[in-house]
Amino acid sequence: MKSLEELRKIREEAIKNVEMRNPDKDIRVVVGMATCGISAGARPVLSTFVDEVAKRNLKNVQVVQTGCIGMCTYEPIVEIYAPDKEKVTYIHVDSEKAKRIVAEHLVNGSVVREYTIGSEI
Amino acid sequence: MAIFRSHVLICGGTGCTSNKSQLVKARFEEKIKEVKLDKEVQVVGTGCFGLCEEGPIVIVYPEGSFYSRMTVEKVDEIVDEHLLKGRIVEKYLFKEKAKVEHAEEHKSLMEVQFYSKQKRVALRNCGLINPEDINEYIARDGYMALGKALTEMTPEGVIQLMKEANLRGRGGAGFPAGVKWSFAAPNKADQKYIICNADEGDPGAFMDRSVLEGDPHAVLEAMAIAGYAIGATKGFIYVRAEYPIAVRRLHIAIDQARELGLLGKNIFNSGFDFDIETRLGAGAFVCGEETALMQSIQGNRGMAKVKPPFPANKGLWGKPTVINNVETLANIPQIIINGPEWFKSFGTVKSPGTKVFALGGKITNTGLVEVPMGITLREVIYDIGGGCPGGKAFKAVQTGGPSGGCLTAEHLDTPVDYENLAAVGSIMGSGGMIVMDEDNCMVDIARFFLDFIVDESCGKCTPCRVGTKRMYTILERITQGKGTLEDLDELESLAISIKNSSLCGLGQTAPNPVLATLKYFRDEYIAHVVDKKCPAKHCKALLTYEIDKDKCTGCTLCARKCPVSCISGTVKNPHEIDQEKCIKCGNCYSVCRFGAVQKN
């Protein structure tokens, strides 16, 4: 080890892996992963969210899975909870949509209206 | 580097390992592969979570779900339900035993009362990182303190900062670490040493073991910082051979730190060299005493020496040496990073910071806790520890192990710090906290600790070698009902002579358990010597077992279970115990379903 810089570099890489174990996060991305969700393709959606959040170093975001939300026809469903904001429900999410949701909703704070359940009903 | 969406943390501390946590881990890995989640879910072995009573413990992130008492059988269901389908398996989650308002079953780690009252500094990484992976330590700001010290601070600056923080020795004596360093720093020598005292010997204490098992790099980093501060280039960790997991993880950690150049030559390009070796102790209690410890490292028999000279002037091989305890060291990197003011924001004015305690004995949540100094014993024992199990009444708590004393219910509101515990006749000690309930005989407790001391005295000085043996014989006599009132005076006078004339800390503190019990539980001693009764119904020689004729149904169970066949009687008629033949094993008492066997 020759410099503090070198140590910081190792730290930046390593932190991505350990960050998940920090429970103090405000924003929760909840992916429906019951049988209905999985068969509709929720698994790659979940991994996309996990990868994108780590890649962009979004320390405030927690990606979790949940069971059946009850609207199996709209799966894969992704819900985003943030403090003092209304819950946003995205439906028929795939990996590409997930990337856009991360970029627009989680990073820039603007809801991707066209993917939400409101646009369908 | 692969990013995982979920982490399964499995405790690999000694407590959980002895409850087969390694098998649980193996099954998790196997099952996760079976369902093809091995690219998504990471299984991590960690150090101690602290709640050893409920082990093996498994925590699943990102939810932070806290599964307790895990078995191999439960693994498949958790993988199928929780990891595959996102449904937390509620029935296996930890359930709060301490009385808590709004106790819901679904607990994430920090909602559990056992943790919510704690403040983790020395244990901050224990249970959170994989101790066998240096990257996880680095991710938690590991080695940043060493980097900061070497690149931005002078050795004098490090010592000054440590003095300001007033971190007191966590091994028990409470001597400020910064002051100790400042004694060694100005001494000129061709070689100086840093020693980590990991010879944790108090019965029932496992704070240091858990730190070494859960966060070994914190100790290595702190030793290097100490080395820089006093100008030492060599460190030794003196650790008990009975701690195989700790030793193994230390060796892994040392190798990894050397590989990254965090130990070795010219660390951080600062010109500072430092390397660490381990030395295994064979388990002698006296080797926790610093002069005996150094003798042992040098290959001699572990025996204490006269002080002065103090180790800071003439220590290991006659060179200036600083000896710090494991927990003391584990605090240091955090103090360097966050500064003395941060450290002093916890605890009391005279005892800043936190202290780790090993809760044991008659307590619901046996385990490891770290609390701010100044917290009351009541909070530790009841709010965190959950009180005595089985609704039994609290009687006393022994702090400081065989060198400490017991405190009673009236002391429960004493704030825990060095001065307050000393003022009520006990000591802080290294952190063992043994809780006793109404079934514990205090005379027998004193006898137990003296027995330990007699075994562990190194034998160099007469007061300790002979005096403790004499005290032990008197206590044994009392527990056998052969004591006299004069024995109590004799005990006190011996205790005072031994305290005043022993060579090292072992002898000087050895009589403490006796003095404390004599002070707070004199009536129990008097009951033993005058009435020939043991109020806690513990001392065998003073007990009789009798069968209540009115309650006995003549089921014959006790007669069948009696190992010496001293119970006579026929079916459906009351039985009787032959007192001459009875060996007081208590079998009849524990098997009787009608409460007919009386213990008096």
Side-chain angles (χ1 to χ4, degrees), chain B residues 265-458:
Chain B
K265 298 270 177 221
N266 195 16
I267 305 167
F268 284 106
N269 216 9
S270 62
F272 171 66
D273 307 336
F274 195 76
D275 205 4
I276 297 176
E277 280 180 46
T278 56
R279 285 288 180 274
L280 303 192
F285 183 58
V286 73
C287 286
E289 199 280 335
E290 54 188 12
T291 56
L293 185 153
M294 291 188 298
Q295 287 296 314
S296 180
I297 291 183
Q298 287 172 219
N300 302 327
R301 181 171 165 186
M303 280 180 146
K305 282 186 134 184
V306 183
K307 287 191 278 191
F310 288 98
N313 302 319
K314 280 184 93 175
L316 200 58
W317 288 293
K319 308 292 183 188
T321 303
V322 159
I323 303 180
N324 285 132
N325 160 271
V326 172
E327 192 190 330
T328 315
L329 289 166
N331 275 292
I332 291 170
Q334 289 305 301
I335 296 175
I336 303 282
I337 291 177
N338 300 311
E341 291 312 315
W342 167 83
F343 185 69
K344 285 194 282 192
S345 68
F346 319 115
T348 60
V349 176
K350 283 191 165 173
S351 309
T354 58
K355 178 79 192 88
V356 183
F357 289 102
L359 284 177
K362 305 283 181 67
I363 187 128
T364 306
N365 293 332
T366 301
L368 198 70
V369 305
E370 181 169 357
V371 289
M373 296 268 196
I375 192 171
T376 63
L377 284 169
R378 188 184 300 281
E379 286 173 275
V380 176
I381 292 167
Y382 284 92
D383 297 348
I384 299 174
C388 301
K392 299 268 184 183
F394 168 86
K395 188 181 211 171
V397 55
Q398 177 88 13
T399 63
S403 313
C406 61
L407 299 167
T408 63
E410 65 174 295
H411 301 118
L412 276 176
D413 292 309
T414 309
V416 176
D417 67 15
Y418 293 94
E419 278 73 23
N420 279 310
L421 286 186
V424 290
S426 185
I427 60 166
M428 178 78 115
S430 62
M433 218 181 241
I434 301 173
V435 179
M436 291 163 263
D437 69 6
E438 53 190 292
D439 293 341
N440 286 101
C441 167
M442 298 313 288
V443 183
D444 192 62
I445 294 286
R447 189 197 59 81
F448 166 81
F449 281 119
L450 248 286
D451 186 20
F452 178 82
I453 292 291
V454 169
D455 268 355
E456 295 294 345
S457 171
C458 79

Side-chain angles (χ1 to χ4, degrees), chain B residues 83-95:
Chain B
L83 296 177
L84 205 57
K85 294 183 184 160
R87 290 193 290 242
I88 292 167
V89 189
E90 302 263 346
K91 63 182 175 185
Y92 297 150
L93 289 175
F94 168 71
K95 290 176 189 64

Side-chain angles (χ1 to χ4, degrees), chain A residues 3-101:
Chain A
S3 69
L4 216 48
E5 244 353 274
E6 200 182 330
L7 183 66
R8 282 204 186 99
K9 254 187 213 145
I10 299 178
R11 180 167 160 269
E12 286 314 311
E13 251 330 280
I15 223 164
K16 288 180 188 158
N17 186 34
V18 185
E19 187 53 35
M20 178 184 294
R21 300 174 208 162
N22 175 9
D24 302 324
K25 295 179 197 289
D26 290 340
I27 301 172
R28 289 175 65 220
V29 177
V30 180
V31 182
M33 287 278 282
T35 307
C36 50
I38 295 171
S39 57
R43 198 166 291 287
V45 172
L46 179 67
S47 354
T48 307
F49 270 108
V50 172
D51 287 346
E52 289 292 309
V53 165
K55 219 184 278 170
R56 291 166 186 271
N57 219 352
L58 303 177
K59 289 201 175 126
N60 205 21
V61 179
Q62 187 189 44
V63 182
V64 294
Q65 49 171 347
T66 188
C68 178
I69 300 170
M71 300 180 292
C72 311
T73 172
Y74 294 115
E75 292 283 357
I77 297 177
V78 174
E79 295 178 313
I80 297 185
Y81 295 84
D84 307 322
K85 279 188 194 149
E86 219 177 327
K87 176 183 83 179
V88 178
T89 306
Y90 292 107
I91 56 171
H92 297 309
V93 183
D94 58 26
S95 286
E96 287 313 306
K97 289 182 183 173
K99 278 183 193 158
R100 212 179 130 194
I101 293 169

